[in-house]
Amino acid sequence: MAGTGKFIVIEGIDGSGKSTQVDRLYQRLKKENPDVVSTFEPSEGVVGRLIRDMLNGSIAVDQRTLAALFAADRTDHLLAPENGVMAMLDQGRVVLCDRYYFSSYAYHARYMDMDQVIQMNAHNAQILKPDLNIFIDVSPEVCLERISSSRSSFDIYEKIEVLKAVRENYLLAFERLKDNEHIIVINGNDSLDAVERSIYQKVRGLLQG
Ligand code: ADP
Ligand code: TYD
């Protein structure tokens, strides 16, 4: 059981603006509530570091192993004794998290059955369900433009296909789990300020409610 805090997750495909919006939300909430903290997955823990080496190609890995490691990293992120998410919630903090288990459902269902990925994360869902999942929905074309403007070389066809598939999987996962989860979809194609306002409005509603 989580303590008295709140757990707010921001989800989206690569380039949707998650990191930017988590940071903006953090800065804004911090002015009102010093007990807000911000974190992300893959985590900075030992499993998260291993995952990053796999994502950047330093270590070769099968996708099923990667899916299992993400689930393990999530448990570690939740339960790490000193600075884990559960410890922070027990202290009554508002925890903002860039990605959580819906990322696993969306990304790993490209390689295996989504139900299997949900099963792999069942213990994480049992430990902690987000008070709010915010999905920043941005068209894959717009995300691709944003990502490519900050990179030199790019396989455009492959990337757009991946972004489209992951977005479809997110929507599928939301549809499948909508009765058990608090999910809000935000139009992320708008300006940075407009997206920030929409997210803030939803979060204020939750924190005041
Ligand atoms: P993510 O964490 O989802 O991969 P980022 O927050 O890193 O996305 O954003 C990717 C890039 O797109 C950054 O250069 C960021 O400034 C830009 N960006 C994010 N949101 C918007 C927006 N609403 N309008 C224009 N540019 C944006
Ligand atoms: P992240 O650092 O959030 O990348 P970005 O800022 O580009 O969105 O996440 C790294 C990658 O890890 C990203 O491509 C999504 C992927 N990922 C999974 O495949 N499974 C997961 O469970 C999570 C949390 C992330």
Side-chain angles (χ1 to χ4, degrees), residues 176-205:
R176 207 172 276 198
L177 297 168
K178 64 179 183 222
D179 294 338
N180 303 312
E181 297 277 348
H182 187 182
I183 301 157
I184 285 173
V185 178
I186 298 274
N187 178 5
N189 299 294
D190 285 345
S191 71
L192 280 166
D193 289 347
V195 176
E196 178 187 334
R197 272 196 302 278
S198 307
I199 292 176
Y200 179 73
Q201 193 190 15
K202 298 294 183 191
V203 170
R204 282 309 311 153

Side-chain angles (χ1 to χ4, degrees), residues 86-130:
M86 296 305 285
M88 294 195 262
L89 292 173
D90 284 340
Q91 293 162 15
R93 295 179 152 190
V94 174
V95 180
L96 311 179
C97 190
D98 184 340
R99 300 193 180 281
Y100 192 53
Y101 48 55
F102 273 105
S103 283
S104 278
Y105 307 160
Y107 283 81
H108 306 301
R110 288 174 51 225
Y111 304 100
M112 54 203 289
D113 200 283
M114 190 183 288
D115 286 331
Q116 274 182 300
V117 188
I118 293 172
Q119 270 308 313
M120 274 180 162
N121 280 277
H123 60 291
N124 291 321
Q126 204 169 24
I127 296 167
L128 183 64
K129 263 189 204 181

Side-chain angles (χ1 to χ4, degrees), residues 13-21 98 146 188 190-192 195:
I13 61 177
D14 300 66
S16 58
K18 292 178 315 304
S19 317
T20 310
Q21 293 298 342
D98 184 340
R146 290 180 188 168
D190 285 345
S191 71
L192 280 166
V195 176

Side-chain angles (χ1 to χ4, degrees), residues 122-139:
H123 60 291
N124 291 321
Q126 204 169 24
I127 296 167
L128 183 64
K129 263 189 204 181
D131 293 286
L132 186 56
N133 295 280
I134 298 174
F135 179 61
I136 307 180
D137 194 17
V138 181
S139 86

